[in-house]
């Protein structure tokens, strides 16, 4: 009998991205780089005021320009079907809901001609008074029916007033986070073409199947008349999770001129058209007994949405999970302003909410006189504190302890301003992080290609994370072959249907379908097998499923200028089995780097007089560069959570940013004695 040599398991290996060579040699084609003949180019015309009515568009000068093919606005636009997201109802009415909203578009032979013509349009707008200012006492704040991802708007357990009254120490603090913009390397872009069978769109998105469904609805087509292809995507962070107006505009323009049409959103336009994280105002009241045990937690958040769409970031949801306390209240309130519609941005909810909660825990530790790590450990809940569900796994304490050991936490003098290196004040800070472990239904197929090779097909999205690579690893182990025997086809709505790369659930969702398809192929011994995880995913989930982590920061603050440097940063995560040690580390440190940006630099400045984000480019909206990121590392505990999926993994895309801003703020407070409660922590808040 022949013996077979079992290949080394692929899952866990630090495999480089399969498409890495294609990308660094420029062969990988992104949405609008497809070699399509006869493409027309679209220029977007945006409203210059925050509220009003488009009265007229005089397009004579624009149309007189050689090479201009069409001008479209509400008076001449084809009717589109109404969908929930009114951002997609392009040119369907005369209302202007925010500054920067699309009010017209020009289609031309070249981008230059299109933009030249756009300048020559005479757009008359009847301006009305607007309101673009979020404030905690805004009279139009209301309680929405639910908040994002279907969470309850409020939660109330016990009696928080009694809990606060019986506490030995209390804090009552308000934090604010500014509007923040996703700035993926590749701005949103779409290239659409119609033929007898329907519509094909090359598009930059986080899920081709989701984009296809929405486009089909808007143009009243059958889903199989639309094909969305997204082989390579240069980042998304949530902003490409739900289809943005660019995909609709490309399809609309292509239909108008009877040619393929290309929309490439400019970096500056992203600040109005492709979503952003809402600013937040968060009031936290915490009470603790003399031993540091929480007697009450109150977390109240105010956020904004636009007048086109209700989008309510689920800011206080992590507070429902993190710590034990008998009395608790969490609330969301929202106001619809004349501002662009907020949207998804990495770790929506957890990211701003945990900045608030983890800053407040640090302040409470000071008030009670207990080490910040010890305070968290003492409030570790044995089960989910609001639902009572048992944890599928929860290793927050392990992350805090391991991080403390590696980071040298024990040597920390709790006294602020206790360490100085020349002109630098040095502080250490810590914060906890968490993110839910979700999963969505998916389909996948696997086919034998002969010679011991396999083709795996699934409409997954690789937005730069390494999804293609980890799915090949998962398939290789499920089939019992080496990873180079597996070929992946992803990023195309014509493939077996799958959900978005969002909510940190891509790998868990797609990987489950891939495993099931591979299992079936081996069971049946056939040439091809298909799996659909809809029933498996819908089955009752009795446990609370979350990833956990802890971020440690050493901040150096210039005692004279207030300049802050994150000198060292360590993240320790407990997120189930790690599928690929290399791409996982990249996700963690990428998220942590984004957290440094949130803590120290990023702020979309709203000029309320105009309703405009004034710093709408990368010259003025600062994101961290290499010099801002010094010694940074991420490690993980050995955890495998079989409650979640056949890989035993949790999501890793978003937890890296969660807690990072609080860890920086807590380190700055330890270094300087100054608590900054309004992000970002710029030097003007530390001097004078
Ligand atoms: Mo993420 S913000 O859920 O794509």
């Amino acid at each position: 009998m022949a013996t077979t040599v079992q290949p080394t398991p692929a899952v866990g290996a630090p495999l480089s991205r399969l498409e890495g060579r294609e990308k660094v040699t420029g062969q990988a084609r992104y949405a609008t780089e497809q070699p399509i003949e006869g493409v027309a180019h679209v220029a977007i015309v945006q409203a210059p005021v925050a509220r009003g009515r488009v009265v007229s568009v005089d397009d004579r000068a624009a149309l007189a320009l050689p090479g201009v093919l069409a001008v479209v606005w509400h008076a001449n636009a084809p009717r589109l079907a109404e969908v929930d997201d009114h951002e997609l109802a392009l040119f369907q009415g005369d209302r202007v809901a925010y500054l920067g909203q699309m009010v017209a578009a020009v289609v031309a032979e070249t981008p230059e001609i299109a933009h030249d013509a756009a300048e020559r349009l005479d757009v008359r707008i009847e301006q009305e008074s607007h309101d673009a200012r979020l404030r905690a006492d805004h009279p139009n704040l209301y309680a929405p029916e639910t908040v994002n991802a279907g969470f309850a708007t409020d939660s109330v357990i016990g009696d928080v007033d009694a809990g606060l009254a019986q506490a030995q120490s209390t804090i009552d603090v308000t934090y604010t986070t500014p509007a923040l913009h996703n700035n993926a390397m590749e701005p949103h872009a779409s290239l659409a073409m119609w033929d007898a069978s329907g519509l094909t769109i090359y598009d930059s998105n986080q899920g081709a199947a989701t984009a296809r469904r929405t486009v089909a609805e808007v143009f009243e087509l059958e889903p199989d008349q639309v094909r969305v292809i997204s082989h390579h995507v240069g980042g998304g962070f949530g902003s490409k999770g739900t289809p943005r107006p660019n995909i609709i505009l490309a399809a609309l323009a292509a239909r108008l001129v009877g040619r393929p049409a290309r929309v490439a959103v400019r970096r500056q336009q992203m600040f109005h058209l492709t979503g952003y994280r809402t600013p937040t105002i968060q009031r936290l009241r915490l009470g603790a007994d003399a031993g540091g045990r929480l007697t009450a937690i109150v977390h109240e958040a105010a956020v904004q949405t636009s007048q086109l769409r209700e989008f309510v970031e689920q800011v206080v949801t992590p507070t429902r999970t993190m710590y034990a306390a008998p009395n608790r209240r969490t609330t969301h309130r929202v106001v619809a302003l004349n501002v662009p519609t907020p949207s998804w941005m990495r770790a929506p909810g957890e990211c701003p909410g945990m900045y608030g909660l983890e800053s407040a825990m640090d302040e409470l530790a000071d008030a009670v006189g207990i080490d910040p790590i010890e305070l968290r450990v003492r409030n570790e809940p044995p089960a989910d504190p609001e639902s009572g569900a048992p944890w599928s796994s929860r290793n927050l304490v392990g992350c805090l302890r391991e991080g403390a050991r590696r980071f040298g936490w024990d040597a920390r003098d709790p006294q602020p301003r206790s360490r100085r290196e020349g002109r630098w004040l040095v502080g250490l800070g810590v914060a906890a992080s968490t993110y839910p472990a979700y999963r969505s239904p998916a389909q996948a197929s696997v086919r034998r290609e002969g010679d011991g090779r396999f083709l795996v097909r699934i409409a997954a999205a690789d937005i730069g994370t390494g999804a293609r690579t980890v799915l090949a690893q998962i398939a290789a182990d499920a089939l019992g072959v080496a990873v180079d025997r597996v070929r992946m086809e992803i990023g195309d709505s014509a493939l077996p249907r799958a959900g978005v790369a969002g909510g940190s659930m891509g790998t868990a969702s797609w990987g489950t379908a891939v495993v099931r398809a591979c299992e079936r192929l081996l069971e049946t011994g056939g040439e091809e097998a298909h799996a659909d995880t809809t029933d498996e995913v819908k089955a009752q989930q009795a446990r609370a499923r979350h990833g956990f982590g802890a971020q440690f920061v050493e901040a150096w603050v210039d005692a004279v200028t207030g300049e802050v440097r994150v000198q060292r940063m360590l993240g320790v995560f407990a997120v189930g089995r790690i599928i690929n040690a290399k791409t996982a580390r990249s996700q963690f440190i990428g998220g942590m780097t984004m957290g440094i940006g949130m803590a120290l630099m990023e702020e979309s400045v709203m000029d309320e007089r105009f309703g405009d984000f004034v710093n709408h480019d990368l010259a003025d909206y600062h994101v961290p560069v290499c010099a801002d990121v010094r010694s940074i590392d991420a490690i993980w505990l050995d955890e495998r959570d079989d409650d979640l999926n056949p890989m035993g993994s949790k999501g890793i895309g978003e937890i890296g940013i969660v807690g990072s801003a609080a860890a920086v703020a807590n380190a700055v407070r330890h270094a300087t004695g100054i608590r900054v409660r309004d992000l970002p922590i710029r030097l003007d808040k530390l001097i004078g």
Side-chain angles (χ1 to χ4, degrees):
M1 204 177 159
T3 54
T4 39
V5 180
Q6 282 302 313
T8 316
V11 166
L15 206 64
S16 294
R17 284 169 174 75
L18 299 178
E19 75 287 1
R21 180 183 297 263
E22 261 182 276
K23 280 182 174 166
V24 297
T25 56
Q27 289 167 299
R29 287 191 204 280
Y30 291 80
T32 64
E33 298 178 334
Q34 303 299 323
I36 309 280
E37 292 291 314
V39 173
H41 299 264
V42 183
I44 295 166
V45 180
Q46 298 176 277
V49 302
R51 184 159 170 255
R53 198 170 71 79
V54 179
V55 178
S56 65
V57 173
D58 183 341
D59 57 10
R60 284 170 295 182
L63 287 170
L65 207 61
V68 172
L69 302 169
V71 172
V72 58
W73 60 295
H74 80 79
N76 67 0
R79 292 302 100 192
L80 302 172
E82 196 177 313
V83 293
D84 288 346
D85 183 355
H86 291 177
E87 286 278 348
L88 303 182
L90 294 184
F91 321 126
Q92 299 300 293
D94 62 358
R95 297 298 312 166
V96 172
Y98 61 84
L99 186 145
Q101 185 182 342
M102 280 192 209
V103 292
V106 178
V107 194
E109 293 288 350
T110 69
E112 291 79 8
I113 296 171
H115 288 289
D116 187 354
E119 302 272 307
R120 298 175 194 227
L121 285 188
D122 185 4
V123 180
R124 291 278 157 87
I125 295 182
E126 205 172 83
Q127 188 172 359
E128 298 163 14
S129 67
H130 68 267
D131 177 5
R133 182 163 162 244
L134 174 66
R135 43 183 229 265
D137 61 351
H138 198 294
N140 296 338
L141 278 166
Y142 68 95
E145 217 162 282
T146 59
V147 299
N148 281 344
F151 287 105
T153 302
D154 295 353
S155 73
V156 180
I157 290 175
D159 180 342
V160 292
D161 295 324
L164 290 168
Q166 81 190 57
Q168 168 92 20
S169 309
T170 57
I171 59 159
D172 180 350
V173 281
T174 297
Y175 303 93
T176 65
T177 60
L180 299 168
H181 274 83
N182 287 311
N183 268 288
M185 292 278 277
E186 179 201 23
H188 298 58
S190 313
L191 171 53
M193 61 213 82
W194 295 80
D195 64 19
S197 66
L199 174 60
T200 301
I201 311 178
Y202 291 93
D203 181 55
S204 183
N205 63 56
Q206 294 175 222
T210 301
R212 174 180 71 167
R213 192 181 59 231
T214 303
V215 169
E217 280 169 21
V218 171
F219 290 96
E220 295 181 283
L221 299 167
E222 293 304 317
D224 63 7
Q225 292 176 286
V226 180
R227 183 175 174 194
V228 176
I229 304 170
S230 318
H231 290 148
H232 298 290
V233 177
F237 310 108
S239 72
K240 296 173 184 169
T242 41
R244 306 312 306 160
N246 50 286
I247 192 170
I248 305 301
L249 180 59
L252 190 74
R255 195 160 83 177
L256 278 178
V257 300
R259 287 166 56 171
R262 174 185 185 268
V263 174
V265 176
R266 292 178 157 191
R267 177 69 60 187
Q268 294 197 339
Q269 295 172 331
M270 285 178 64
F271 284 78
H272 301 108
L273 293 174
T274 60
Y276 63 99
R277 194 195 301 285
T278 176
T280 71
I281 302 170
Q282 305 176 46
R283 181 177 178 201
L284 276 122
R285 280 172 285 164
L286 303 180
D289 66 20
R293 278 173 201 83
L294 287 161
T295 56
I297 301 180
V298 186
H299 192 171
E300 298 161 318
V303 299
Q304 73 187 32
T305 188
S306 73
Q307 299 207 333
L308 276 187
R309 183 181 180 198
E310 185 186 83
F311 181 99
V312 189
E313 183 149 347
Q314 68 275 38
V315 175
V316 303
T317 51
T319 299
R320 298 173 184 169
T321 295
M322 284 306 291
Y323 301 114
N327 306 295
R328 18 197 341 128
R329 185 165 78 224
T330 63
T331 66
H332 297 92
R333 296 294 178 266
V334 64
V335 56
L337 300 173
N338 300 111
V339 293
T341 309
S343 187
W344 310 105
M345 183 165 174
R346 206 170 199 170
E350 275 71 16
C351 176
M354 288 290 277
Y355 161 68
L357 179 63
E358 291 300 294
S359 298
M361 286 296 279
D362 206 66
E363 300 208 43
L364 184 68
D366 270 353
V368 185
I370 292 179
D371 176 79
I373 291 179
E374 203 50 43
L375 180 74
R376 288 173 173 84
V377 171
R378 286 186 195 180
N379 290 288
E380 179 70 4
D384 184 273
E386 302 211 355
S387 73
W391 305 110
S392 67
S393 57
R394 174 170 166 133
N395 286 314
L396 172 60
V397 173
C399 294
L400 289 163
R401 296 274 192 236
E402 180 62 15
R405 191 179 69 75
R406 291 183 181 239
F407 209 67
W409 188 263
D410 285 354
R412 174 184 186 265
D413 179 338
Q415 203 53 41
R417 297 181 78 94
S418 53
R419 187 173 153 206
R420 199 171 169 132
E421 305 282 343
R423 61 190 282 175
W424 299 92
L425 301 168
V426 179
L428 297 189
V430 67
S433 55
T434 187
Y435 197 78
Y438 296 123
R439 200 167 60 157
S440 68
Q443 300 177 0
S445 73
V446 56
R447 190 162 75 206
R448 294 181 199 274
E449 293 203 295
D451 196 21
R453 293 174 186 276
F454 298 85
L455 170 64
V456 176
R457 306 171 83 231
I458 180 167
D462 192 327
I463 58 175
T465 54
R468 189 181 270 108
T469 310
V470 299
L471 291 177
Q473 291 174 275
I474 290 167
D477 282 7
L479 294 163
V481 300
V483 71
D484 65 359
R485 305 282 97 176
V486 177
R487 192 159 65 88
M488 293 300 309
E489 270 182 26
I490 65 167
D492 186 335
S493 68
L495 297 168
R497 187 168 41 81
V500 292
S504 294
M505 66 180 135
T507 301
S509 310
W510 309 323
T512 302
V514 167
V515 167
R516 298 302 178 225
C518 293
E519 286 172 349
R520 182 159 304 168
L521 187 80
L522 296 184
E523 261 166 46
T524 60
E527 285 302 301
E528 180 159 6
H530 187 84
D532 183 337
T533 64
T534 304
D535 292 340
E536 180 177 346
V537 168
K538 276 195 191 144
Q540 183 66 21
Q541 294 169 14
R543 292 172 190 274
R545 300 161 157 187
H546 302 264
F548 292 92
Q551 272 93 347
F552 292 78
V553 165
E554 180 178 309
W556 288 39
V557 183
D558 189 307
V560 179
T561 68
E563 177 188 346
V564 180
R565 291 185 178 182
V566 173
Q567 198 74 359
R568 281 196 300 143
M569 189 168 188
L570 173 68
V572 185
F573 300 96
V575 283
R577 196 149 64 118
I578 295 296
I579 313 280
N580 180 322
K582 184 185 253 180
T583 55
R585 182 174 180 279
S586 292
Q587 286 293 292
F588 291 135
I589 66 175
M592 290 159 62
T593 300
M594 225 163 146
I596 293 174
M598 177 183 175
L600 301 179
M601 301 154 205
E602 293 184 51
E603 176 178 17
S604 302
V605 180
M606 169 60 68
D607 184 332
E608 287 137 10
R609 294 169 302 168
F610 303 99
D612 193 11
F613 289 119
V614 290
N615 55 338
H616 46 237
D617 56 38
L618 290 177
D620 290 320
Y621 184 95
H622 291 174
V623 296
V625 297
C626 290
D628 299 308
V629 183
R630 289 153 180 262
S631 165
I632 188 168
D633 203 3
I635 59 165
W636 44 88
L637 304 185
D638 192 14
E639 184 181 276
R640 183 181 168 129
D641 190 331
D642 289 314
D643 190 54
L644 301 174
N645 58 58
M647 294 80 67
S649 66
K650 298 176 181 173
I652 58 170
E654 311 190 62
I655 194 168
I657 193 174
V658 180
S660 289
V664 173
N666 295 343
V668 167
R669 147 79 193 171
H670 182 233
T672 63
I674 299 169
R675 169 68 58 181
V676 177
R677 298 196 181 94
D678 304 289
L679 292 185
I681 305 169
R682 282 195 308 245
L683 46 81
D684 52 302
K685 297 172 188 172
L686 295 173
I687 55 176

